[in-house]
């Protein structure tokens, strides 16, 4: 089920690591190329029965962890092992829909990135802002844009039907609308 609450719009999760309080955030859209590198590396790791870890995929994973924590790679690499593991576990958990192929998705929900970006831009979101959105935020904004489109279409249909109505009735309704009467 899609989270439609404030937690999807403000998705950070608090934790303490390295003696600091962090607000860990999910992957954002501009980081999806890094996610692809990580997933490709994990496929190689599984195919090699855990014997071959792609260095580029590991570097991409570290970059994602540091970005999610809002910290630098040196900070991340200096973390105690237990803090690193907790941070990695939290990042994996809050990004479950990306990492876990079994994560529930709605029927017909396929990612077609050019269409998603175009739809968000058409809804008024600047490209730079889209790059900083999480998947959940993009999904919520797309759902709301579709709802507003349906509402506009319903208003257009109503207006078209209304234009064929009796002129006296139209004037009466317009007068009521202007006065704010139901």
């Amino acid at each position: 089920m899609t989270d439609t609450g404030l937690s999807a719009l403000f998705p950070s999760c608090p934790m303490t690591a390295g003696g600091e309080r962090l607000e860990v955030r999910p992957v954002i859209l501009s980081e999806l190329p890094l996610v692809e590198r990580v997933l490709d590396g994990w496929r190689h790791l599984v195919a090699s029965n855990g014997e071959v870890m792609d260095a580029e995929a590991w570097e991409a994973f570290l970059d994602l962890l540091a970005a999610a924590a809002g910290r630098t790679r040196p900070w991340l690499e200096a973390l105690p092992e237990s803090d690193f593991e907790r941070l990695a576990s939290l990042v994996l958990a809050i990004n479950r829909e990306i990492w876990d192929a079994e994560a529930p998705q709605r029927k017909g929900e396929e990612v077609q990135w050019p269409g998603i970006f175009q739809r968000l831009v058409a809804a008024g979101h600047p490209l730079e802002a889209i790059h900083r959105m999480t998947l959940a935020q993009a999904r919520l904004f797309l759902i709301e844009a579709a709802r507003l489109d349906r509402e506009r279409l319903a208003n257009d249909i109503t207006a078209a039907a209304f234009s064929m109505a009796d002129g006296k009735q139209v004037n009466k309704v317009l007068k009521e609308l202007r006065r704010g009467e139901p």
Side-chain angles (χ1 to χ4, degrees):
M1 182 171 178
T2 301
D3 182 1
T4 58
L6 285 176
S7 63
L9 293 174
F10 304 99
S12 64
C13 296
M15 78 169 287
T16 301
E20 297 180 44
R21 181 162 168 75
L22 307 174
E23 292 291 329
V24 181
R25 64 158 174 78
V27 166
I28 57 175
L29 296 181
S30 65
E31 295 168 340
L32 289 177
L34 287 175
V35 170
E36 274 192 299
R37 282 190 217 127
V38 170
L39 292 175
D40 190 44
W42 285 356
R43 281 189 284 277
H44 290 358
L45 183 64
V46 169
S48 70
N49 292 319
E51 293 183 19
V52 178
M53 179 60 188
D54 181 350
E56 185 178 320
W58 180 248
E59 294 295 317
F61 184 64
L62 293 177
D63 288 341
L64 286 171
L65 288 179
R71 298 297 188 267
T72 63
R73 279 282 299 277
W75 177 89
L76 179 71
E77 292 166 350
L79 278 179
E81 186 176 339
S82 62
D83 285 355
F84 178 88
E85 288 175 1
R86 285 186 317 104
L87 175 61
S89 295
L90 179 59
V91 170
L92 290 172
I94 64 177
N95 289 291
R96 179 173 181 253
E97 67 182 314
I98 295 173
W99 312 116
D100 185 358
E102 299 298 318
Q105 288 186 342
R106 290 196 303 262
K107 185 177 181 180
E109 189 177 272
E110 295 178 19
V111 176
Q112 297 171 349
W113 295 112
I116 289 171
F117 274 66
Q118 187 282 329
R119 179 87 174 170
L120 289 167
V121 168
H125 299 278
L127 189 57
E128 301 78 32
I130 296 168
H131 284 190
R132 293 186 307 272
M133 287 181 189
T134 66
L135 291 173
Q137 289 168 334
R139 184 179 294 115
L140 288 176
F141 289 135
L142 288 169
I143 289 168
E144 185 60 18
R147 187 194 67 75
L148 290 172
D149 284 348
R150 289 191 309 274
E151 185 68 27
R152 276 191 288 275
L153 180 58
N155 287 339
D156 290 348
I157 290 170
T158 301
F162 203 56
S163 69
M164 294 180 248
D166 175 17
K168 289 180 183 180
Q169 184 63 29
V170 170
N171 286 333
K172 179 182 174 199
V173 170
L174 288 174
K175 194 179 214 181
E176 290 171 0
L177 283 173
R178 288 190 179 114
R179 286 193 305 233
E181 296 176 9

